[in-house]
C-alpha cells in the first residue's frame, strides 16, 4: 500500500484560500496579472466554483465563489479585507506593470524600502490586497532599527 503524504507535493504549510465574487473571472485575472497557472476547478450548482486552485510562482492559491449561505464572503461583500498576501518575484517592476495593465490598482507606489525590498501594494479587481516585492539588498537588523527610528517608529 502506498503511503499518503500528509502535505501533498507542490503544497506548502500555509496556503491562501480566496473567496471571490466571480472566482472564474478571478482566475483569468490572476493568469493575466500574475502569470498564474490554472491547476483545476470543481464546478458546483448554479455555475459557482466549489473549489479551484492556481499556482503563482512556486505556491498554490485556492479559490472559491462567494457563497454567503455557507459563510463564504469575499472582500467586496465585506467592504474590504484586513488580509494582504505577499508575493516575492524576480522583477517587481515588470510584475506590477503587468498586474496594473490587467486591472490591479496600486495602493502603495513602487519604491525601494529600508528593509531591502523594492516593494509595492496593489488591490485586485476582486478586493484582495497583494504586496509584491523583489529583494534588492541585504539589510542588518541594526540598520532596519536605525531607519525606523529616523521615520519616528
Amino acid at each position: 500500500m502506498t503511503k499518503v503524504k500528509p502535505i501533498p507535493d507542490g503544497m506548502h504549510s500555509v496556503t491562501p484560500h480566496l473567496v471571490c465574487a466571480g472566482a472564474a473571472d478571478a482566475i483569468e485575472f490572476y493568469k493575466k496579472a500574475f502569470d498564474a497557472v490554472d491547476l483545476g476547478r470543481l464546478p458546483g450548482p448554479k455555475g459557482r466554483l466549489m473549489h479551484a486552485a492556481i499556482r503563482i510562482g512556486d505556491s498554490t492559491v485556492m479559490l472559491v465563489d462567494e457563497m454567503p449561505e455557507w459563510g463564504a464572503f469575499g472582500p467586496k461583500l465585506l467592504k474590504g479585507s484586513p488580509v494582504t498576501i505577499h508575493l516575492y518575484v524576480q522583477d517587481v517592476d515588470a510584475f506590477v506593470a503587468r498586474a496594473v495593465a490587467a486591472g490591479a490598482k496600486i495602493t502603495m507606489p513602487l519604491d525601494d524600502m529600508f528593509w531591502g525590498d523594492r516593494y509595492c501594494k496593489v488591490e485586485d479587481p476582486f478586493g484582495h490586497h497583494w504586496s509584491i516585492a523583489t529583494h534588492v539588498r541585504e539589510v542588518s537588523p541594526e540598520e532596519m532599527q536605525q531607519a525606523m527610528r529616523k521615520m519616528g517608529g
Side-chain angles (χ1 to χ4, degrees), residues 9-28:
D9 288 337
M11 297 298 289
H12 300 286
S13 297
V14 176
T15 302
H17 196 167
L18 305 180
V19 177
C20 300
D25 291 337
I27 291 168
E28 294 309 309

Side-chain angles (χ1 to χ4, degrees), residues 40-112:
R41 305 175 191 205
L42 179 62
K46 303 177 189 173
R48 298 185 296 188
L49 286 178
M50 302 301 286
H51 176 77
I54 59 175
R55 182 170 317 280
I56 299 172
D58 67 354
S59 299
T60 298
V61 177
M62 297 179 191
L63 299 98
V64 65
D65 267 309
E66 276 187 339
M67 294 181 228
E69 69 274 22
W70 292 99
F73 303 98
K76 287 195 168 189
L77 192 60
L78 294 172
K79 310 243 184 297
S81 173
V83 175
T84 298
I85 302 166
H86 186 72
L87 299 174
Y88 271 114
V89 299
Q90 292 292 319
D91 181 349
V92 69
D93 292 85
F95 195 96
V96 168
R98 185 177 61 236
V100 168
K105 176 178 69 173
I106 292 177
T107 58
M108 181 179 176
L110 189 58
D111 202 355
D112 292 335

